[in-house]
């Protein structure tokens, strides 16, 4: 047993890491949900704001690239989320600024533990932005930002719940052999962040469009009535990414939220994490 423990403790895949609460990773394009809400709520953009995407945006001496070489053309916020257009969010970041972006990240609980009752939960990190270049990177979930999967689950659950936060629990209840309830973790609505119904609906419909006609359209989640956002983040290793998919289902009356992240893969969020989402939701009978 000691030999097994020694071997596992030295395994580079870190099998002892409690990934939902301790794996800290950049969220990539899944964070665009927060950027969009921040800009909408702070009246920096609205549903009629359009920015052109020609494949990249030059700010100072730095060229920030989109995920499509030839660009997406003229987009509003719903289309930008649907196609995960980086340039739209670069332009949004320029007028939003780092202070407001950090404010809304913190509103969704990023950079703080979720207090789910599990020890050694990591806080992650949402840094102060000291330049427009940093703000641009943060707006698409890159840079020095680090989140845990459970933090992103909290974020997407707040979208599904219309702004309400429900504290996560591992156990629903504990009872003794006589049936007396010793611990009862009811799923209470703890607090609500102030987001207008109009802006919330813009985001919700955008997340549905991701699945029906956007970056996740080829996975087969449309019939499962999923709404969600894909994300792909670069790593220090060449040709390796972290593949994300966050969302909820059913779209009309959410019952389940999910976050799937696959570390160090050559693929992208939709193609790698998407099929796992489909398998999970099929198993529970969505």
């Amino acid at each position: 047993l000691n030999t097994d423990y020694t071997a596992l403790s030295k395994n580079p895949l870190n099998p002892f890491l409690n990934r939902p609460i301790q794996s800290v990773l950049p969220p990539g394009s899944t964070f665009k949900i927060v950027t969009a809400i921040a800009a909408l709520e702070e009246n920096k953009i609205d549903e009629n704001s359009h920015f052109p995407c020609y494949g990249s945006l030059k700010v100072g001496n730095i060229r920030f690239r989109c995920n499509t070489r030839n660009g997406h053309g003229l987009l509003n916020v719903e289309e930008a989320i649907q196609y995960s257009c980086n340039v739209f969010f670069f332009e949004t970041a320029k007028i939003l600024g780092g202070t407001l972006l950090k404010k809304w990240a913190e509103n969704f609980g990023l950079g703080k533990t979720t207090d789910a009752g599990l020890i050694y939960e990591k806080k992650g990190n949402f840094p102060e932005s000291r330049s427009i270049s940093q703000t641009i990177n943060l707006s698409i979930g890159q840079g020095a930002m680090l989140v845990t999967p459970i933090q992103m689950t909290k974020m997407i659950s707040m979208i599904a719940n219309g702004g309400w936060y429900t504290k996560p629990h591992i156990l629903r209840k504990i009872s003794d052999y006589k049936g007396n309830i010793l611990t009862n973790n009811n799923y209470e609505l703890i607090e609500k962040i102030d987001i207008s119904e109009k802006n919330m609906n813009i985001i919700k419909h955008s997340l549905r469009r991701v699945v029906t006609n956007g970056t996740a359209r080829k996975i087969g989640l449309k019939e499962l009535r999923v709404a969600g956002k894909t994300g792909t983040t670069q790593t220090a290793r060449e040709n390796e990414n972290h593949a994300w998919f966050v969302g909820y289902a059913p779209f009309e009356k959410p019952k389940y939220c999910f976050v799937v992240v696959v570390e160090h893969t050559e693929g992208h969020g939709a193609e790698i994490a998407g099929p796992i989402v489909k398998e999970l939701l099929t198993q529970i009978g969505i």
Side-chain angles (χ1 to χ4, degrees):
L1 291 177
N2 286 338
T3 304
D4 290 342
Y5 175 81
T6 301
L8 289 170
S9 65
K10 294 180 179 180
N11 189 316
L13 296 178
N14 297 317
F16 290 135
L17 185 69
N18 189 348
R19 281 177 162 77
I21 64 168
Q22 293 178 324
S23 190
V24 285
L25 306 165
S29 292
T30 60
F31 183 76
K32 290 173 181 175
I33 298 170
V34 178
T35 304
I37 288 178
L40 288 166
E41 281 296 307
E42 298 293 342
N43 296 313
K44 301 300 183 181
I45 64 170
D46 60 29
E47 71 274 24
N48 296 314
S49 300
H50 288 77
F51 294 118
C53 170
Y54 302 114
S56 67
L57 179 69
K58 191 173 183 180
V59 179
N61 295 322
I62 304 173
R63 184 168 295 278
F64 296 91
R65 301 195 178 279
C66 198
N67 48 29
T68 299
R69 180 183 294 272
N70 296 323
H72 294 97
L74 195 64
L75 298 170
N76 64 15
V77 64
E78 287 197 21
E79 294 163 331
I81 292 175
Q82 175 183 346
Y83 298 114
S84 201
C85 175
N86 288 347
V87 169
F88 182 95
F89 290 95
F90 297 158
E91 296 282 12
T92 299
K94 286 166 57 180
I95 58 176
L96 180 63
T99 300
L100 291 177
L101 188 62
K102 183 177 176 65
K103 167 190 166 183
W104 279 92
E106 291 177 343
N107 284 347
F108 280 98
L110 303 183
K112 297 179 285 186
T113 60
T114 62
D115 194 24
L118 297 172
I119 61 173
Y120 308 126
E121 181 182 350
K122 300 289 187 181
K123 292 194 302 183
N125 177 56
F126 198 94
E128 298 282 350
S129 181
R130 293 181 170 83
S131 69
I132 186 61
S133 296
Q134 281 185 298
T135 304
I136 283 174
N137 263 333
L138 292 171
S139 74
I140 62 167
Q142 299 282 176
M145 184 195 322
L146 295 172
V147 301
T148 60
I150 199 169
Q151 285 175 339
M152 296 306 286
T153 306
K154 175 181 178 178
M155 182 275 290
I156 197 64
S157 72
M158 292 172 77
I159 301 298
N161 288 329
W164 284 97
Y165 168 50
T166 302
K167 185 177 177 179
H169 296 289
I170 297 299
L171 294 176
R172 173 70 65 88
K173 65 180 179 180
I174 301 174
S175 58
D176 63 18
Y177 70 98
K178 293 181 180 180
N180 299 313
I181 296 176
L182 305 178
T183 300
N184 191 1
N185 292 321
N186 290 321
Y187 291 95
E188 303 174 82
L189 298 175
I190 305 296
E191 58 182 325
K192 188 176 189 292
I193 54 175
D194 189 18
I195 300 174
S196 73
E197 184 177 357
K198 176 184 177 182
N199 287 337
M200 187 64 79
N201 285 333
I202 289 172
I203 298 301
K204 287 183 174 181
H205 285 103
S206 302
L207 298 178
R208 180 59 176 160
R209 288 172 65 163
V210 168
V211 172
T212 58
N213 295 293
T215 56
R217 66 189 180 280
K218 296 180 181 179
I219 303 169
L221 294 172
K222 178 180 179 181
E223 294 74 19
L224 296 177
R225 308 194 308 284
V226 170
K229 183 72 188 76
T230 59
T232 306
T233 56
Q234 297 174 337
T235 71
R237 305 177 191 177
E238 190 175 355
N239 298 322
E240 285 194 13
N241 307 308
H242 301 315
W244 289 83
F245 200 125
V246 307
Y248 57 88
F251 168 68
E252 300 83 1
K253 192 174 182 180
K255 187 176 181 181
Y256 300 102
C257 291
F258 59 83
V259 169
V260 172
V261 55
V262 179
E263 300 175 5
H264 300 293
T265 174
E266 292 185 6
H268 297 80
E271 65 179 297
I272 300 299
I276 298 173
V277 171
K278 183 178 180 181
E279 181 68 19
L280 289 171
L281 295 180
T282 302
Q283 291 284 340
I284 60 178
I286 283 290

